[in-house]
Every structure is written in structure tokens, then in C-alpha cells.
Amino acid sequence: MNFTEQEKYLKRGRVWAAVCAACVVAVAAYAWKISAVAAQMPALIFPVVIAAVCGSLFYTPDYLHLNVNRTKRFRWQVKIRWRLIAVGLLIGLLSDRSLRSVEIVLASCTWLAIVNLLAKRVTTIRPSSAYFLVTDIVLIGTLLSATHIDFLLAIALIVASAHLVSVTEEEASIAQSVYFALIASALVYYCASTEHDHITAWLAGAVAACAFASGVLVTRAQKQNVKNVGAGASELEEFTGYTDEKIRELWATSNEQLAKNWKDAHLDENDREKMTAWYRENSELYMFAISGYNLEYKRIRDSIKMLRYGCGACLDYGAGNGEIILELARRGHPAIYFDVDGTSMRFARHRAERQKLTVEFFHSKDDLAASAMQRGLDTIFSFDVLEHLPDLPGELKFLSSLLNPGGRMAFDVPAGSTKAHPMHLNHHLEIHAYMESIGMVEERGLLQSIPFRKQEKYVFRKPA
């Protein structure tokens, strides 16, 4: 993966999101102003929805569309709607105590809950956005015709629905024409039966701006994802000889198969030799799991952030497919790869040779230590590996011993075993206290300094 290209894409994406958000806010603010709504709930909900949508524009399109997981968008839409149901219940019940209003809120949330519960049974993954759009329009249309809810509140619901469906749609350009037609029909129907004709165009503009902005950003993400996935699949196809269909199947199933293989092996977590042998035997599955993971938005963004720490001679400890260390070699750093001698290492070596990059490869800690003693290391990276190793204190001490004075070590320690990742070991080590005990000093950013925030990524420096 070319991280320079990815960084350019993400920076331009933030500019696009800012422009789109500004347009949505401008149109919505004017519509809200001329509506002169004084009712408490509409006056509160409309700006909150607009703010939430604008915030989502900066994150959600890339999060949902930069990946190889074809079920992610469907699962996210179901999950987010459960949260919205809870928020709707809370706001609706607290803002208006009349029995009629409570009945409307409860009925609306019940409808949305039933739609969510039936989603997996009545729709497949691909047309799920159309299913949610239709059920939302049914709800909003019923509220407009049967309860005469405030028009600004109705527009807030339409805006939220348009955004949710837009950011989860498989084919954004086709979807937009459907959204605009249905949204325009709902607005025309409603405004024709009320006395708010003078703001019809502005309200329609607010909804259209939201749906269009979402569609623009989703289309950008989809195009970038096609490029990323195509490049990743091409490398794997050349190395393995597998078909594109087989590669995509392994992307989808490798994590699940790894979890099953781990449970079936019944390994003693303290038996380092048997664990190393298991990882070697399953390294092809890991190659595909890592490859798919590297194509995800959050992974791309985190890798770009961590690469900024690269300085001087660099080691990637547990380097997998070599994504980080190959990029550092491409940027001119002396580069060292370390991992189990398996398929993923051979794949990383193949990639380095194809790209004519100079990288040293090691699978023995003794050989790695001997090489580091000759010149020392200035930066050590270790991501998604330490949670697999039984002796976490020993690993951290070993890595810190390889650093030159002033050198940095960037690593993560995800929290223990999960259903999806049963091979993650449950380390009960106070990272900060231990690293300080071996003479390392933490470099904390603003996010790491937030109290009670769960921390997985760490950067420590060896004092000069």
C-alpha cells in the first residue's frame, strides 16, 4: 500500500467533508431561521440532527466503505439505529409529558425496533438500504398524515434517514435519484397540506444538500476502495496463484477460521515452541487476515499516524505482511523485518523484491539481537503482535534493549481474548509502571492524556 497516496486521499477527504458540511449547515440554518419554530422539541432536535450529520460526514463514509467486509455497512446501520431508538426514547419522553406525545414516541420507536429485528430475515445485505429507506418513509408519512407533527421535526427525521441510507448504500450514484424522488414526494405532500409553502424550497434544499453531500463522500470512498482492494488482490494473486474470487473468500473467512483452529489446538499458552509452530502452520490464513485488515480505514489512518514516528534505523517486530516496514524502506530508512518464518514472511520478502526495497529479514531473536548490536535501532514498531506472546514483560525488555539512546518504541497491547480473537492472551501488566521500571519514558499525545480513556497504543522513548 502506498501510504503517501492514502494520506493525500484522507487530507482531501477532510476538505471535501468540510465543504459539504458547510453547505448543509448554511441551508439548514436558513431554513430553521425562517421557519420561526418556537416549540421546544423541534427547536432542539433539528440542529442536533444537522450537527450529528455534519460530524458523520468527516468519518462515516470512509469508515464504512474503505474495507473488504461486505456485511459491515448492514451491521453498522442496524447497530446505529438501536442507538437512535434509545436516544429518541430519552429525548421524546423527557421533552414533552403529554400522553399523546408519549404515545407517538413509543409507537415510533416500536416501529423502528420491529424494522431492525426483521432486517436480517426480510432482506439480504445488498438491498438493505432500500429496505430501511422505505420503512423510514412509511413511518414519517404516517406521522405527517396521522399526527400532524411539527414540519421541522419531520424534516429532521427525513435528513437523518437520508444520511443513514446514503452512507450505507452500495451504489451511491444510483441511490441518490431514489432518495431525492422519495424525499421530494414526502415534502410536497406535507407542505401541500400545511401553511408552510414559503419555506418548502429551503427545507427541500436542506435534505437534498445532506443526501448529496453524503453521496459525494461515499462515491469518493468507494472509488478509493476499489483502487486499494485491486492493488491488494493483485499482489496476493501474483504470490499465491489464487483467483480473485478465492482471495475475497479468504478475506471474508480467514479470521473465523483462525479462531476455530486456535480453539481446536488446545495450546498451552506458556509453551512458546508449540505456539510458534501453530502460528507458522496458520501463517497463510494470517497473511489473508492481515491483508484484509490493512485495507480498513481505521488501520490505514492509524498506520499513517504511527509512520510519523519512523526515524533512523527501523524494526517492525511481528511485521506480518510487511506493510509498515516496506513503507519505511521506501522512505529511505534502514529497515528490519521480524516475524515467524512462514507464508506471511515469504509474502513480505516477495513484495520487497518486487518493489526493489532493501529490507533485512529475521525470524530468530538471537540473529535480530546480533544485527541490532552492530548499529542499534532508532525506532521499533510492534503492532497486533504482543497480545499473542506469553511473556509480555520479557518481550518489552528485549525490544527496549535494542534501542539506541533517544530511540522510540511504538507498540500496542489490545485487551485480551475475545470471541473473534481467542488467540489474544490476557496480559495483566501495568504498561506504564513496567516501562518506567526499565528506564523508558512515555511520549503522550492529547488523546492518551484523557482520564479514564482506554489506551492500547503506546510510544516510549529511551532517554539519551
Side-chain angles (χ1 to χ4, degrees):
M1 177 173 290
N2 187 327
F3 284 102
T4 301
E5 178 187 318
Q6 303 302 316
E7 190 167 14
K8 287 180 181 178
Y9 163 77
L10 293 177
K11 285 181 178 178
R12 290 170 182 166
R14 287 192 287 272
V15 173
W16 273 100
V19 171
C20 290
C23 293
V24 172
V25 169
V27 176
Y30 188 74
W32 186 30
K33 178 181 178 181
I34 64 176
S35 67
V37 170
Q40 182 181 3
M41 188 160 66
L44 170 67
I45 291 179
F46 184 75
V48 167
V49 168
I50 295 299
V53 167
C54 290
S56 177
L57 292 175
F58 284 89
Y59 176 79
T60 309
D62 286 333
Y63 172 72
L64 291 179
H65 292 273
L66 290 182
N67 63 78
V68 296
N69 187 344
R70 296 178 178 178
T71 66
K72 186 173 186 175
R73 290 179 284 279
F74 173 76
R75 290 187 289 104
W76 179 86
Q77 176 140 230
V78 171
K79 184 178 180 179
I80 204 71
R81 281 169 178 271
W82 283 122
R83 294 179 180 178
L84 292 175
I85 290 169
V87 171
L89 278 172
L90 182 64
I91 294 177
L93 296 178
L94 291 179
S95 61
D96 198 328
R97 297 182 181 180
S98 70
L99 180 60
R100 177 62 172 168
S101 297
V102 171
E103 289 174 347
I104 292 172
V105 169
L106 291 176
S108 300
C109 290
T110 300
W111 169 260
L112 292 173
I114 292 172
V115 167
N116 251 11
L117 290 170
L118 294 177
K120 289 184 179 179
R121 297 186 180 184
V122 302
T123 181
T124 59
I125 299 303
R126 290 186 65 86
S128 61
S129 294
Y131 165 77
F132 284 115
L133 179 62
V134 170
T135 54
D136 286 348
I137 293 299
V138 168
L139 172 62
I140 296 168
T142 302
L143 290 173
L144 288 172
S145 59
T147 66
H148 301 293
I149 64 171
D150 188 278
F151 68 95
L152 201 58
L153 182 56
I155 299 306
L157 296 175
I158 295 173
V159 166
S161 174
H163 175 68
L164 283 178
V165 178
S166 294
V167 295
T168 54
E169 183 56 45
E170 197 76 26
E171 299 292 340
S173 59
I174 297 174
Q176 295 312 311
S177 60
V178 178
Y179 304 147
F180 294 151
L182 290 173
I183 291 166
S185 298
L187 285 170
V188 170
Y189 167 79
Y190 177 68
C191 292
S193 59
T194 67
E195 298 179 358
H196 301 293
D197 298 328
H198 62 291
I199 62 168
T200 301
W202 284 103
L203 291 173
V207 179
C210 168
F212 181 72
S214 304
V216 166
L217 295 170
V218 166
T219 301
R220 285 188 77 252
Q222 288 175 344
K223 288 181 179 178
Q224 184 63 35
N225 193 56
V226 168
K227 291 172 62 177
N228 293 350
V229 170
S234 178
E235 284 188 319
L236 287 169
E237 186 176 347
E238 180 183 303
F239 177 70
T240 62
Y242 294 163
T243 64
D244 183 73
E245 183 179 355
K246 176 71 172 177
I247 289 168
R248 291 175 184 273
E249 179 187 343
L250 285 165
W251 274 340
T253 62
S254 53
N255 275 310
E256 184 179 341
Q257 187 60 49
L258 282 166
K260 180 179 183 302
N261 291 354
W262 177 266
K263 291 177 182 177
D264 293 343
H266 301 291
L267 293 174
D268 179 356
E269 294 180 358
N270 295 313
D271 191 332
R272 188 181 184 95
E273 289 187 5
K274 287 187 177 179
M275 288 184 65
T276 300
W278 185 87
Y279 282 110
R280 186 183 300 113
E281 292 165 4
N282 288 273
S283 60
E284 180 176 287
L285 284 173
Y286 263 108
M287 176 181 69
F288 283 99
I290 293 168
S291 175
Y293 181 39
N294 285 338
L295 293 168
E296 291 189 2
Y297 163 69
K298 290 181 71 174
R299 176 68 164 181
I300 294 170
R301 186 192 62 184
D302 288 347
S303 294
I304 290 171
K305 289 180 180 178
M306 291 297 105
L307 280 165
R308 294 169 187 165
Y309 289 102
C311 178
C314 298
L315 162 68
D316 192 352
Y317 189 74
N321 295 352
E323 209 71 60
I324 295 290
I325 203 64
L326 294 182
E327 179 65 22
L328 290 165
R330 191 178 296 115
R331 297 181 182 188
H333 295 278
I336 299 175
Y337 172 110
F338 181 89
D339 210 328
V340 171
D341 184 16
T343 305
S344 56
M345 175 184 272
R346 291 193 292 276
F347 180 47
R349 193 188 297 271
H350 168 80
R351 298 175 74 196
E353 291 172 354
R354 290 284 293 167
Q355 298 175 41
K356 295 181 172 55
L357 299 174
T358 301
V359 180
E360 290 186 76
F361 287 83
F362 294 101
H363 59 84
S364 162
K365 290 176 73 174
D366 292 337
D367 293 341
L368 172 62
S371 175
M373 282 183 63
Q374 294 178 6
R375 61 181 174 190
L377 295 168
D378 300 299
T379 313
I380 295 175
F381 297 97
S382 186
F383 300 123
D384 303 301
V385 64
L386 294 175
E387 67 272 22
H388 297 272
L389 305 178
D391 183 15
L392 179 58
E395 298 292 345
L396 292 173
K397 188 174 183 179
F398 168 71
L399 292 175
S400 66
S401 72
L402 305 180
L403 281 172
N404 289 324
R408 287 190 181 94
M409 186 163 74
F411 62 95
D412 61 6
V413 185
S417 176
T418 64
K419 183 178 179 180
H421 301 284
M423 66 288 290
H424 289 187
L425 307 183
N426 295 296
H427 293 302
H428 302 288
L429 180 70
E430 216 302 306
I431 300 294
H432 301 96
Y434 180 76
M435 295 301 286
E436 288 176 5
S437 75
I438 61 175
M440 300 291 287
V441 179
E442 186 177 17
E443 295 186 356
R444 283 194 168 199
L446 178 62
L447 290 178
Q448 285 77 28
S449 302
I450 298 175
F452 310 112
R453 183 181 183 272
K454 181 181 176 181
Q455 186 176 358
E456 289 188 352
K457 283 188 169 55
Y458 303 86
V459 179
F460 282 86
R461 177 174 46 82
K462 192 171 189 175

